[in-house]
Amino acid sequence: MTNKRKQIAIIGGGITGLTAAYYLQKNEVDADVTLIEKTDHLGGIIWTERRDGFTIERGPDSFLERKTTAKHLVEDLGLEDKLIRSATGKAFILSQDQLHPMPQGAVMGIPTQLAPFFSSTLFTFKGKLDALKDYTTGKTEVEDDISVGHFFRRRLGDEVVDRLIHPLISGIYAGDIDQLSLKATFPHFLETEKKHGSLIRGLQKSTPKKQTGGQKQGMFLTLEGGLKTLVDGLTDALTCNVRMSTDVSQVEKHDERYLLHINGQEEPLEADYVIATTPHYVTQQLFSEYEFMNELSETKNTSVANVAMAFDEDAVKNLPDGTGFVVSRKEDYRITACTWTFKKWPHTTPEGSVLLRAYVGKPGDEEVLDLSDDEISQLVINDLKKIMTIEDDPKFKLITRLYDAMPQYTVGHLQRLERLEEKVNEQLPGVYLIGNAYRGVGLPDCMDQAIRIVEEIAEK
Ligand SMILES: Cc1cc2nc3c(=O)[nH]c(=O)nc-3n(C[C@H](O)[C@H](O)[C@H](O)COP(=O)(O)OP(=O)(O)OC[C@H]3O[C@@H](n4cnc5c(N)ncnc54)[C@H](O)[C@@H]3O)c2cc1C
């Protein structure tokens, strides 16, 4: 007798695959689910290291509370008592060898309060006047898509973009905003402009007073023990078949089903549905016989690295009161940002110590990852010493290289995705492509994509 239950294969055990597996189970979708992960650990890019009393995130460190899916998942797992909110504090911009406080009321760098914007030391007077043209500039003509840079430069001028908006957006996408797609990344700013004829005016109206008047509470959440606690919670909750150290090499369509070929194994795995959450360049290989999958190669990636450094508190001096800084574009620094982790996330650092996390790697400077650990940490320390006093070597340092980890949603991303999805629906029914290369890079965005697919499968 043949087994009539549907077989669902999820390829990739990062947050997208884990979330899909969890909600298939929670929603009692009538199917046998197998989660297949190439490495010997789950969580993908999420990578928490606990060492000498420190909690060090080597990948993402938190999620935005405003995008509610992540918090709901934590609640569903019964982990809400482990949630920890980021501390508030000044964020700085490093420009012209000085740390400038983020102008109060700036929303992704767009001013919403003119007094703090005009008194900011970050911009020249001309740069400030240029930003005011936002009030009078006509609406942006967008046929299909334009770059984020083009949109903001036209409204707010180059200086505000290069000194503030670019580094903030780079903190999310590690990309070049003159290449990034506006429609795929910040469509709501285009909506705001359409509705109010001005970004500043529109955001003044739509931003809650408490936000424009200074952040009262941190916007980011993590869990006690780091994001690994979330991954462990998901792993413990899963009752489906989880196959670790299993490397899918090819997915082949066979009648109405799919055969998943696995490196080093003769027997393929059969499935009715395949949820591919692998990085897009891997997914393209898995389905390499389908030419339309070449759309995926249009999405490039940036490689980044981060350097966590633990010091005795006496070793670091002249650190302004705040949570960290981003570096303006066109500055002579290799680091792109630095978080004063011990201040933003006090639970991560034992008493009497300082934990800093600096970031390197950006379009045009990805070769920094080829340097040795000592070379990377030395260049980070040299950069940091330009703005703070570091009198001793770190107690320890952890350098994490994440190759091709940041997919770039370049202009036309959504159109490419629509073309691709149409072909997949037509020629590979039951195959779903989700994860950070498609509809949002943040952890909650990845979870949203997983939940949407679970709902779609549940309705079949
Ligand atoms: C440095 C950095 C910092 C970030 N910080 C934040 C942050 O603070 N907040 C936030 O919201 N987002 C952050 N992000 C984004 C977020 O972390 C990612 O978008 C998200 O974790 C991606 O999850 P994923 O499951 O889609 O992919 P991945 O985590 O890449 O998971 C894919 C999985 O597929 C597996 N796999 C690959 N090939 C195969 C194969 N052939 N067979 C089987 N399995 C395979 C991989 O081993 C991996 O486990 C950050 C990203 C980076 C790189």
Side-chain angles (χ1 to χ4, degrees):
M1 218 175 79
T2 51
N3 182 359
K4 286 268 190 299
R5 263 165 79 83
K6 295 281 183 206
Q7 307 290 315
I8 303 178
I10 302 170
I11 316 177
I15 196 64
T16 310
L18 285 169
T19 307
Y22 175 70
Y23 281 108
L24 282 167
Q25 177 179 316
K26 184 163 191 299
N27 295 1
E28 298 179 355
V29 175
D30 188 21
D32 293 326
V33 178
T34 304
L35 176 68
I36 308 159
E37 168 54 43
K38 178 178 171 172
T39 66
D40 62 359
H41 62 272
L42 293 169
I45 294 174
I46 297 176
W47 184 2
T48 311
E49 186 134 335
R50 297 168 191 152
R51 174 168 173 177
D52 303 343
F54 292 84
T55 302
I56 297 169
E57 297 290 5
R58 306 186 70 165
D61 70 0
S62 57
F63 50 83
L64 258 180
E65 182 179 26
R66 180 171 53 76
K67 297 186 172 181
T68 51
T69 321
K71 198 171 169 209
H72 287 159
L73 174 58
V74 169
E75 287 162 1
D76 284 341
L77 292 167
L79 295 172
E80 60 273 26
D81 58 329
K82 299 213 178 294
L83 280 171
I84 296 176
R85 184 182 294 283
S86 56
T88 53
K90 269 194 199 132
F92 293 88
I93 319 296
L94 176 57
S95 181
Q96 320 272 304
D97 289 338
Q98 268 184 45
L99 289 176
H100 306 263
M102 174 87 70
Q104 190 174 315
V107 175
M108 200 43 90
I110 305 159
T112 63
Q113 293 178 30
L114 293 186
F117 175 68
F118 267 89
S119 60
S120 169
T121 52
L122 178 58
F123 310 111
T124 62
F125 187 62
K126 182 181 176 307
K128 292 170 186 172
L129 285 185
D130 274 355
L132 294 186
K133 70 182 178 182
D134 171 63
Y135 283 114
T136 50
T137 300
K139 290 181 191 170
T140 314
E141 297 271 331
V142 185
E143 212 166 280
D144 293 322
D145 198 5
I146 52 167
S147 76
V148 174
H150 174 84
F151 177 71
F152 283 119
R153 287 181 194 289
R154 191 174 160 271
R155 304 212 65 82
L156 298 161
D158 287 339
E159 193 176 292
V160 169
V161 170
D162 289 333
R163 293 196 183 175
L164 184 55
I165 296 180
H166 190 284
L168 293 178
I169 290 180
S170 293
I172 305 170
Y173 291 98
D176 177 351
I177 69 168
D178 294 307
Q179 308 282 328
L180 277 186
S181 153
L182 181 66
K183 288 225 172 142
T185 56
F186 297 100
H188 52 287
F189 287 137
L190 189 59
E191 289 302 310
T192 303
E193 186 223 56
K194 244 195 209 129
K195 191 165 165 205
H196 300 275
S198 146
L199 279 178
I200 300 177
R201 203 167 27 237
L203 288 177
Q204 280 169 336
K205 287 195 177 136
S206 63
T207 310
K209 277 277 167 300
K210 74 169 184 341
Q211 203 169 320
T212 55
Q215 200 62 44
K216 295 284 181 290
Q217 56 175 16
M219 299 186 293
F220 297 96
L221 296 172
T222 186
L223 292 100
E224 202 183 301
L227 290 174
K228 185 177 188 307
T229 303
L230 174 60
V231 172
D232 289 346
L234 279 163
T235 310
D236 292 347
L238 288 183
T239 55
C240 69
N241 185 13
V242 179
R243 291 178 60 170
M244 304 297 299
S245 306
T246 304
D247 179 9
V248 182
S249 57
Q250 193 80 38
V251 180
E252 185 193 351
K253 190 161 178 235
H254 185 74
D255 297 331
E256 296 301 298
R257 308 189 84 201
Y258 294 95
L259 299 179
L260 279 67
H261 296 280
I262 290 162
N263 269 330
Q265 289 182 21
E266 272 186 20
E267 275 301 295
L269 192 94
E270 288 191 36
D272 302 282
Y273 298 101
V274 177
I275 306 177
T277 75
T278 35
H280 60 288
Y281 47 89
V282 175
T283 304
Q284 188 184 356
Q285 291 305 314
L286 298 182
F287 295 92
S288 58
E289 63 182 276
Y290 296 90
E291 210 175 304
F292 59 81
M293 287 288 186
N294 289 345
E295 293 275 12
L296 290 172
S297 55
E298 292 297 311
T299 303
K300 309 292 179 215
N301 312 288
T302 310
S303 299
V304 291
N306 60 76
V307 181
M309 290 182 295
F311 296 92
D312 279 325
E313 67 181 347
D314 297 340
V316 181
K317 302 211 167 90
N318 300 328
L319 205 61
D321 196 22
T323 54
F325 65 86
V326 292
V327 182
S328 281
R329 199 182 195 193
K330 298 180 180 160
E331 297 290 322
D332 193 18
Y333 286 81
R334 298 292 290 272
I335 55 172
T336 54
C338 180
T339 309
W340 301 326
T341 309
F342 72 115
K343 292 200 176 181
K344 187 170 180 187
W345 301 107
H347 71 284
T348 60
T349 311
E351 207 55 33
S353 294
V354 162
L355 181 62
L356 306 178
R357 191 182 183 216
Y359 306 83
V360 291
K362 59 187 170 191
D365 190 21
E366 292 173 85
E367 60 274 21
V368 66
L369 274 77
D370 299 336
L371 300 177
S372 69
D373 279 11
D374 283 344
E375 285 169 325
I376 294 180
S377 64
Q378 198 50 57
L379 74 84
V380 165
I381 287 180
N382 289 348
D383 272 358
L384 291 178
K385 277 186 171 170
K386 293 180 194 164
I387 42 144
M388 62 176 85
T389 308
I390 299 179
E391 289 181 343
D392 209 349
D393 290 337
K395 292 197 271 197
F396 68 82
K397 55 182 193 269
L398 269 183
I399 295 168
T400 309
R401 295 172 183 76
L402 294 157
Y403 290 96
D404 289 328
M406 307 289 276
Q408 299 299 305
Y409 295 3
T410 51
V411 173
H413 179 82
L414 291 182
Q415 287 90 335
R416 287 192 293 275
L417 211 51
E418 273 160 29
R419 282 198 300 271
L420 176 65
E421 285 172 350
E422 201 181 302
K423 289 283 186 200
V424 171
N425 284 340
E426 208 177 274
Q427 298 191 33
L428 297 168
V431 168
Y432 302 95
L433 313 183
I434 53 171
N436 63 0
Y438 305 95
R439 296 189 185 273
V441 298
L443 295 168
D445 304 310
C446 293
M447 295 168 188
D448 280 336
Q449 295 175 60
I451 291 169
R452 215 183 44 249
I453 292 312
V454 168
E455 285 167 358
E456 212 174 305
I457 294 177
E459 278 169 17
K460 296 214 171 195

